[in-house]
């Protein structure tokens, strides 16, 4: 995985690098982990933007979310962001 200029280059199952745009990074100090939300701008069957989430370290090595509490937290966090955007809150 390569990180450069807010872009992640992640190899697919064939070893070809695919480009993902970083949407957001944040830390949860109580878990001592950093998270990244990213997308390749594709949409699902309901026309929703596909957003991926991973844990990352200082070298930008990605790890999957495996803890059900983390997964639930991230899903709720994305839903809250969607609601904020729909309600017209501006992000800087």
């Amino acid at each position: 995985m390569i990180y450069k200029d807010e872009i992640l280059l992640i190899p697919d199952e064939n070893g070809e690098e695919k480009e993902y745009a970083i949407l957001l990074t944040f830390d949860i100090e109580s878990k001592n982990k950093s998270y990244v939300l990213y997308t390749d701008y594709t949409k699902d069957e309901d026309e929703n933007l596909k957003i991926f989430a991973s844990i990352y370290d200082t070298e930008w090595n990605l790890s999957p979310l495996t803890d059900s509490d983390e997964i639930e937290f991230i899903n709720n966090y994305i839903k809250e962001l969607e609601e904020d955007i729909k309600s017209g809150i501006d992000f800087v």
Side-chain angles (χ1 to χ4, degrees), residues 1 3 27 32-34 55-62:
M1 198 286 310
Y3 165 75
D27 299 324
N32 197 27
K33 293 181 183 178
S34 298
I55 299 165
Y56 73 98
D57 63 19
T58 57
E59 301 293 319
W60 280 96
N61 296 307
L62 300 181

Side-chain angles (χ1 to χ4, degrees), residues 2-90:
I2 298 172
Y3 165 75
K4 183 179 178 182
D5 299 324
E6 303 302 314
I7 299 294
L8 295 173
L9 298 175
I10 303 173
D12 65 14
E13 60 277 350
N14 299 321
E16 295 181 34
E17 289 182 339
K18 187 169 180 179
E19 194 171 286
Y20 295 84
I22 296 174
L23 300 172
L24 180 68
T25 60
F26 60 96
D27 299 324
I28 299 178
E29 291 182 21
S30 64
K31 293 191 174 286
N32 197 27
K33 293 181 183 178
S34 298
Y35 299 86
V36 59
L37 301 179
Y38 53 99
T39 185
D40 60 359
Y41 293 108
T42 58
K43 295 185 177 183
D44 65 15
E45 61 279 349
D46 296 323
E47 292 299 308
N48 296 311
L49 182 67
K50 289 184 182 178
I51 297 174
F52 306 95
S54 294
I55 299 165
Y56 73 98
D57 63 19
T58 57
E59 301 293 319
W60 280 96
N61 296 307
L62 300 181
S63 301
L65 301 174
T66 55
D67 181 274
S68 61
D69 290 336
E70 284 179 320
I71 293 168
E72 182 180 351
F73 175 83
I74 297 296
N75 285 332
N76 289 334
Y77 191 75
I78 291 170
K79 286 178 188 174
E80 286 179 28
L81 288 173
E82 288 173 339
E83 290 301 317
D84 288 346
I85 291 168
K86 288 177 184 175
S87 68
I89 292 177
D90 292 329

